[in-house]
Amino acid sequence: MSTLAGWGRLPEPGTELLDEDLERLTEGAVLSRGLGRSYGDSSLPAHAGDKVANTRLANRILSFDPTTGVMRAEAGLSLVNLVRLMLPRGWFPPVVPGTKYVTLGGMVASDVHGKNHHREGCFGAHVRAMRIRLADNSTIECSPTEHADLFYGTIGGMGLLGHILEVEFALHRIPSQWIVMERERVHDIDAYLTSLTHAAGRWPMTMGWIDCVHRGASMGRGVLMAGRWATAEEAGAAAPKARADKALPIELPNWALNPITVGIFNSIYYWSHTPKVATRVMGPEPFFFPLDYVLDWNKVYGSRGFTQYQCVVPRAAGAPAVREFMDRLTKLGAASPLCVIKDCGPEGKGVLSFPMEGTSIAVDIPVMADIQRIVDGLNEFLISTGGRIYLTKDRFTRPEHFRAMESRLPAFAGLRERWDPQRRLRSAQSRRLFGDKA
Amino acid sequence: MNVVVFGGTAGIGRAIAQQLAERGDRVCLLGRAEASLAKSVGDLTARHPSQQAASSAVCDLEKPETFAPALDAAAQALGGFEAVIVTAAMFATQDALEADVELTRRLTTANYANTVTFCEHARTRLLASGGGWLTVLSSVAGDRGRKPVAIYGSSKAGLSTYLEALDHKFREKGLWVLCVKPGFVKTGMTAGLKPPPFAGEADQVARDVLRAMDRRKPLIYTPGIWALVMLVIRNLPRAVMRKIGF
């Protein structure tokens, strides 16, 4: 039987259709997907026979205004091509996620955030208009002034209100093609959070890596990174070299990443940074998309697959809650070389959009026998802080936990009632979390 | 370079037109649907920093009377052209063709008779202006009589033979004829079919096509692995071909 899988490589039965003609492709489809970078089941069908539209061939730029930076494009246009075409011309998307292998449609459906969330909000904040195919197969234009409820419901709405056909958004003018990055090694979680807050005031872009295996006094030690676009003088005349991303030739065995190997890896990475603050000028690709260097790095977790647990702990809960979260994470034995912490700015207008003012924590967890127990444990604590998870990464959250952390759910259900009363549009994730029928 | 791309709104043709526009070539698209032509013209225009406008003209592979006017319109829009790339074609599965004789007539007419007719219009115009490139997408399906592509493959076999002869006859006069034989490529044309091993992407095929044109090659298989696959297939004995389903 053919299957589809997200980035975490846990499959569901189903097939997808490809077509350059998005109008034809989405007719009768119940779910759109792009490059399959959502980790869990948000781009997988609720039922094996569901028509799933893969939009990645619908990649045309429909218009670009070089005076304002406003672009309108088909939903399947990838960020990799957008950056490749526009960076040399002095334009960059206002918000980019940690990978460039995503489509515009996916960036809207997930309302992706980036290192500049504390300044620029999510990608959806920069969208001006969209054309959408609704569940009844009609198409409709929406914007903050036209069908605004549909517009804001679609931003971060995981494709459940309609298929995104076209997106109009504004690119940002950049002073150069280079990034100035400052890097600082931080010895524990409290120092880390203090530095993060401090950096967020001074830098438009911040993020950091944390050693989530290390315990004891220096739990949560890590490396904090902050950046901004370099000025023309700092950058010099040369353009950054386009990087050739490499494929991973083999799938690593399931045992390759375990608490011991991850601990060794993390220590080497931590100690490879000097304690003093280092500043350098670098290309935007290794800064924004460091993991893309290995095209299919998801194979390092082996055939068992993995999930990413990403949540935001609200500012109101404070640093002690983040420390407690890290403590639980290390105790639950969720060993992973990847743990990213950053600041989120205020909540955006997307009805189900993930970020809220607070601290975002993202950690990869291999699918182990007790994965459900680990996710449940983290969710139970998260609910007590008033935080929430990121649907784009999720595969294991229980519906009752989701309801407990998501006070905006009734508002979203109301939008579905209005725009798709029969709940034709659905995914494996909406089946799991919203109780949609298979 | 000024290039006419027939079928450049979708599939491999779209990828070729995009790459041409990105490297600064001027493109005129020929295609059937005006709405899609307009979107693709916007796309090609936006893909180069100069934002020099691409152009288009309506041309339908099933209506040979549209060929000469479309090529003339392209010549006018571009101020002459040095290359014509033909990616337009019809595709249907063997099952669909066997169930519908009319579809078989339409497909074989479009893919062979009409494509050759279009190429003749293009050839005379290219030769009249001193030569250039005539690049046409045929298929690996034409290399051998095979069960799953009996009818589609035969239309491409005829086309490949014509293109080979064109190369023999007109290369000396400065006409670079390139016959492209793609293997399975994941586009809207093959949507719904199960991709075999070595299935390619349109972007990769487009890169191979443009490189082959730059090198003035007469024939390429793309993705490259298909040259090897088809070498084997061409040399399999009939007894084996009768047994296997490939």
Side-chain angles (χ1 to χ4, degrees):
Chain A
M1 183 183 308
S2 63
T3 58
L4 293 172
W7 190 239
R9 304 180 74 211
L10 288 175
E12 287 281 335
T15 51
E16 61 184 8
L17 281 176
L18 275 172
D19 201 336
E20 293 86 9
D21 185 339
L22 208 47
E23 300 253 342
R24 183 169 62 197
L25 179 66
T26 52
E27 203 163 341
V30 302
L31 184 67
S32 281
R33 74 195 305 253
L35 288 168
R37 283 285 171 139
S38 59
Y39 284 60
D41 48 8
S42 33
S43 78
L44 308 182
H47 179 268
D50 283 354
K51 182 179 175 187
V52 179
N54 186 312
T55 64
R56 70 181 175 86
L57 296 181
N59 62 358
R60 287 183 291 199
I61 299 168
L62 300 170
S63 63
F64 176 67
D65 182 344
T67 56
T68 59
V70 173
M71 175 180 280
R72 191 177 179 97
E74 293 179 321
L77 178 67
S78 68
L79 184 56
V80 52
N81 280 324
L82 183 62
V83 170
R84 180 177 63 79
L85 290 170
M86 301 315 291
L87 181 72
R89 289 152 77 169
W91 296 97
F92 201 75
V95 171
V96 298
T99 171
K100 59 186 185 295
Y101 296 105
V102 292
T103 61
L104 272 183
M107 287 168 74
V108 174
S110 291
D111 198 15
V112 295
H113 58 276
K115 301 180 194 352
N116 58 357
H117 187 269
H118 59 285
R119 293 273 176 96
E120 297 291 341
C122 292
F123 185 72
H126 305 268
V127 174
R128 309 235 171 150
M130 285 184 273
R131 209 158 77 80
I132 289 176
R133 180 185 287 288
L134 297 169
D136 69 3
N137 273 323
S138 62
T139 61
I140 192 170
E141 183 79 11
C142 66
S143 71
T145 53
E146 196 179 356
H147 304 298
D149 65 331
L150 177 66
F151 181 78
Y152 290 118
T154 300
I155 291 172
M158 310 309 287
L160 296 173
L161 290 185
H163 301 278
I164 301 166
L165 303 177
E166 295 171 5
V167 182
E168 188 174 309
F169 63 103
L171 289 121
H172 279 182
R173 257 281 178 221
I174 46 174
S176 76
Q177 297 183 47
W178 295 87
I179 294 284
V180 173
M181 184 186 80
E182 187 185 270
R183 192 151 53 179
E184 182 187 356
R185 199 174 80 187
V186 187
H187 55 81
D188 72 14
I189 187 71
D190 292 326
Y192 189 98
L193 292 173
T194 309
S195 296
L196 193 61
T197 310
H198 186 58
R202 296 184 300 132
W203 295 85
M205 298 177 272
T206 60
M207 58 93 69
W209 168 89
I210 276 204
D211 181 350
C212 67
V213 179
H214 196 73
R215 298 176 62 175
S218 56
M219 180 189 76
R221 65 183 187 181
V223 179
L224 184 74
M225 286 158 241
R228 60 172 170 80
W229 288 101
T231 63
E233 298 79 58
E234 287 168 320
K241 265 196 220 123
R243 189 178 63 178
D245 296 336
K246 303 281 188 298
L248 191 69
I250 50 155
E251 173 182 88
L252 293 189
N254 286 340
W255 48 261
L257 285 191
N258 59 57
I260 296 163
T261 54
V262 171
I264 293 168
F265 173 90
N266 284 0
S267 291
I268 291 172
Y269 186 77
Y270 179 77
W271 290 111
S272 71
H273 293 85
T274 52
K276 68 169 197 249
V277 176
T279 307
R280 68 185 182 109
V281 176
M282 67 193 297
E285 288 202 49
F287 180 75
F288 288 109
F289 317 118
L291 291 173
D292 283 345
Y293 183 60
V294 181
L295 278 172
D296 38 10
W297 60 263
N298 56 348
K299 289 199 291 193
V300 305
Y301 292 97
S303 59
R304 62 192 164 166
F306 72 110
T307 187
Q308 185 174 91
Y309 188 87
Q310 183 168 5
C311 64
V312 55
V313 175
R315 184 85 69 234
V322 178
R323 171 172 262 282
E324 168 82 18
F325 183 91
M326 290 308 300
D327 191 43
R328 285 178 184 241
L329 185 68
T330 49
K331 280 198 183 115
L332 282 165
S336 152
L338 192 123
C339 179
V340 173
I341 293 201
K342 80 157 262 94
D343 256 1
C344 284
E347 190 170 282
K349 287 185 172 173
V351 177
L352 264 197
S353 185
F354 160 67
M356 66 162 85
E357 180 109 38
T359 307
S360 158
I361 307 165
V363 57
D364 283 357
I365 309 174
V367 174
M368 301 172 280
D370 57 350
I371 183 78
Q372 188 66 52
R373 186 181 64 84
I374 294 172
V375 173
D376 286 348
L378 295 174
N379 276 338
E380 278 156 17
F381 176 73
L382 181 66
I383 290 164
S384 76
T385 70
R388 63 167 82 115
I389 54 143
Y390 189 13
L391 288 178
T392 299
K393 310 291 179 73
D394 183 57
R395 176 79 183 206
F396 291 102
T397 291
R398 295 178 189 278
E400 58 271 26
H401 284 160
F402 184 63
R403 282 192 297 271
M405 64 180 75
E406 199 44 271
S407 60
R408 304 170 300 175
L409 209 47
F412 191 71
L415 285 175
R416 293 187 85 194
E417 194 57 38
R418 164 143 193 231
W419 295 101
D420 179 17
Q422 289 161 340
R423 302 286 194 276
R424 279 195 53 247
L425 306 183
R426 60 193 181 177
S427 64
Q429 187 169 65
S430 79
R431 182 188 65 197
R432 172 167 60 88
L433 291 178
F434 302 149
D436 291 351
K437 58 185 183 296
Chain B
M1 187 158 76
N2 293 348
V3 189
V4 178
V5 184
F6 183 16
T9 57
I12 296 169
R14 179 189 288 184
I16 290 174
Q18 287 173 336
Q19 290 180 23
L20 287 168
E22 285 169 21
R23 71 181 198 186
D25 291 329
R26 293 188 63 206
V27 179
C28 180
L29 293 173
L30 305 187
R32 198 170 35 171
E34 283 186 77
S36 191
L37 283 173
K39 287 186 180 180
S40 281
V41 164
D43 180 46
L44 300 184
T45 305
R47 274 178 191 261
H48 194 266
S50 69
Q51 302 240 0
Q52 60 176 354
S55 54
S56 70
V58 174
C59 188
D60 186 341
L61 190 59
E62 291 201 85
K63 293 177 184 153
E65 68 275 15
T66 62
F67 297 168
L71 282 165
D72 291 340
Q76 184 146 37
L78 295 169
F81 51 76
E82 292 89 60
V84 176
I85 301 175
V86 184
T87 64
M90 276 178 76
F91 178 79
T93 62
Q94 182 64 15
D95 286 349
L97 289 163
E98 283 178 11
D100 184 347
V101 179
E102 174 58 16
L103 182 62
T104 296
R105 187 197 64 74
R106 280 177 55 206
L107 181 136
T108 50
T109 304
N111 285 2
Y112 178 67
N114 292 359
T115 305
V116 169
T117 305
F118 181 88
C119 289
E120 286 298 297
H121 283 296
R123 173 182 68 75
T124 51
R125 282 164 175 79
L126 287 166
L127 285 171
S129 60
W133 286 263
L134 177 60
T135 298
V136 185
L137 269 79
S138 184
S139 171
V140 295
D143 270 19
R144 186 83 201 259
R146 293 193 284 120
K147 292 174 186 172
V149 287
I151 293 165
Y152 172 79
S154 72
S155 74
K156 292 296 192 179
L159 181 61
S160 297
T161 304
Y162 162 74
L163 294 168
E164 182 186 349
L166 272 194
D167 169 59
H168 295 162
K169 185 157 182 200
F170 295 107
R171 175 162 285 258
E172 274 191 350
K173 299 205 165 69
L175 184 70
W176 321 110
V177 178
L178 170 62
C179 173
V180 181
K181 294 184 177 178
F184 190 100
V185 182
K186 289 182 257 179
T187 66
M189 189 184 95
T190 56
L193 302 179
K194 192 174 153 57
F198 317 124
E201 297 285 348
D203 281 339
Q204 167 193 13
V205 169
R207 266 193 298 279
D208 288 352
V209 169
L210 295 189
R211 197 172 52 224
M213 287 174 70
D214 290 342
R215 294 178 184 176
R216 298 180 182 181
K217 286 191 173 181
L219 170 70
I220 53 156
Y221 288 85
T222 169
I225 181 78
W226 284 88
L228 202 63
V229 173
M230 295 317 294
L231 179 69
V232 173
I233 297 290
R234 282 198 306 275
N235 288 290
L236 286 177
R238 269 175 184 268
V240 176
M241 290 301 285
R242 285 193 191 110
K243 290 271 186 257
I244 61 174
F246 182 77

